[in-house]
Amino acid sequence: MPVHRFSPEGLMQPTPYHHVAVGTGTRHVHVAGQISRLADATPVAPDDLAGQVGQALRNTATALAGAGASFDDVVRLTFYVTAWAPEKISAFMEGIESVAAEIGLPSPMPPSSLIGVEYLFEPDVLVEVEATAVLD
């Protein structure tokens, strides 16, 4: 397996993600920010952070599969969430948990960052997900 994830002693525990991923493959897959839209650009889950997180992750899984990858190959996830506030963490995690089994998202997740932003490219977009994977 080209990706080994772990959380060294001395770093905050427990977390819903690993702190470190080491990729030893030769092919890198970079998935552009995925949002809560269907293939025909129809918005999914307007005003619903959990629903948008779930759909954005489904789209990320589709993009990875298109490159012959899966979440097992992911070394990094980056989430951008509009108008972030700590009280949104429950809805955010609910969105992840609602699709994790369906899309093969491991638990703990790959190293991840959640970045609060003021605005994404359209006003109804609440979350965007980027992924980086390594393949043999």
Side-chain angles (χ1 to χ4, degrees):
M1 177 178 280
V3 178
H4 172 65
R5 294 185 205 100
F6 59 98
S7 292
E9 251 184 72
L11 295 179
M12 186 176 74
Q13 303 288 336
T15 58
Y17 56 87
H18 283 291
H19 287 281
V20 179
V22 177
T24 56
T26 57
R27 292 180 52 221
H28 290 224
V29 178
H30 298 268
V31 177
Q34 297 299 304
I35 60 171
S36 183
R37 295 277 197 277
L38 299 178
D40 66 0
T42 301
V44 175
D47 299 319
D48 175 8
L49 179 58
Q52 287 200 20
V53 168
Q55 184 61 43
L57 284 167
R58 283 187 190 99
N59 292 347
T60 302
T62 299
L64 289 165
S70 72
F71 281 103
D72 288 337
D73 305 305
V74 170
V75 295
R76 184 95 179 126
L77 288 172
T78 304
F79 296 87
Y80 300 92
V81 181
T82 60
W84 179 255
E87 53 272 8
K88 291 185 176 186
I89 194 66
S90 293
F92 177 80
M93 293 306 296
E94 176 187 325
I96 290 171
E97 292 162 6
S98 73
V99 298
E102 170 192 335
I103 63 174
L105 185 63
S107 179
M109 293 189 303
S112 302
S113 293
L114 190 159
I115 301 168
V117 297
E118 183 177 338
Y119 193 85
L120 290 164
F121 80 103
E122 290 186 359
D124 66 304
V125 177
L126 304 178
V127 66
E128 187 170 321
V129 183
E130 294 178 339
T132 303
V134 176
L135 302 173
D136 284 326

